[in-house]
């Protein structure tokens, strides 16, 4: 488990430092909230890391396996508009999409995936 999380974290930092420069308009979704990398952005900034990664509206974060506290931390760092609902099914039962309320669920299930994919928002039903 720790290897995968650290790989996702490293991927986010690498893209923030070098990938965005090469692909300025590319929409990217990071699995498992990018291994928590956005939550640690203050440490990166204190060491000269890129300041705009946290406000990049073309970076999205899949919520796989994270609960209310993890989602809350991500929302505080990148905002609800960057989260897309995901799960680790069939390995782990998914968290309910409405942990942060109905408006957040709508954002993660419909509006945000539509922006990520460049399409109009469509209602999505999630099987528990």
């Amino acid at each position: 488990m720790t290897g995968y999380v650290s790989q996702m974290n490293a991927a986010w930092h690498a893209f923030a430092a070098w990938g965005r420069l090469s692909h300025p308009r590319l929409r990217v979704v990071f699995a498992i909230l990018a291994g928590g990398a956005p939550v640690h952005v203050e440490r990166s900034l204190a060491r000269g890391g890129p300041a705009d990664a946290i406000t990049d509206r073309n970076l999205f974060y899949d919520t796989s396996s994270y609960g209310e506290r993890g989602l809350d931390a991500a929302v505080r760092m990148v905002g609800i508009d960057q989260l897309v609902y995901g799960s680790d099914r069939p390995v782990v039962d998914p968290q309910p999409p409405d942990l942060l309320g109905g408006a957040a669920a709508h954002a993660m299930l419909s509006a945000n995936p539509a922006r990520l994919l460049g399409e109009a928002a469509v209602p999505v039903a999630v099987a528990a």
Side-chain angles (χ1 to χ4, degrees), residues 1-91:
M1 185 177 102
T2 56
Y4 181 51
V5 173
S6 64
Q7 290 165 10
M8 296 301 102
N9 189 296
W12 184 88
H13 283 284
F15 188 82
W18 301 291
R20 181 51 79 207
L21 296 172
S22 299
H23 306 283
R25 293 187 314 269
L26 182 66
R27 289 183 299 257
V28 178
V29 61
F30 287 94
I32 64 165
L33 296 178
V39 176
H40 303 285
V41 77
E42 292 165 324
R43 290 184 54 84
S44 175
L45 293 174
R47 289 153 180 81
D52 54 353
I54 203 68
T55 59
D56 188 331
R57 294 342 245 160
N58 283 324
L59 295 184
F60 294 83
Y61 304 90
D62 155 82
T63 64
S64 297
S65 298
Y66 282 90
E68 187 174 358
R69 285 183 239 158
L71 295 179
D72 183 65
V75 168
R76 289 173 186 270
M77 294 310 288
V78 300
I80 191 65
D81 293 338
Q82 301 317 112
L83 302 185
V84 293
Y85 183 77
S87 77
D88 286 329
R89 183 174 285 209
V91 177

Side-chain angles (χ1 to χ4, degrees), residues 109-124:
L109 289 169
S110 183
N112 300 349
R115 270 189 320 103
L116 168 63
L117 299 173
E119 300 174 357
V122 285
V124 176

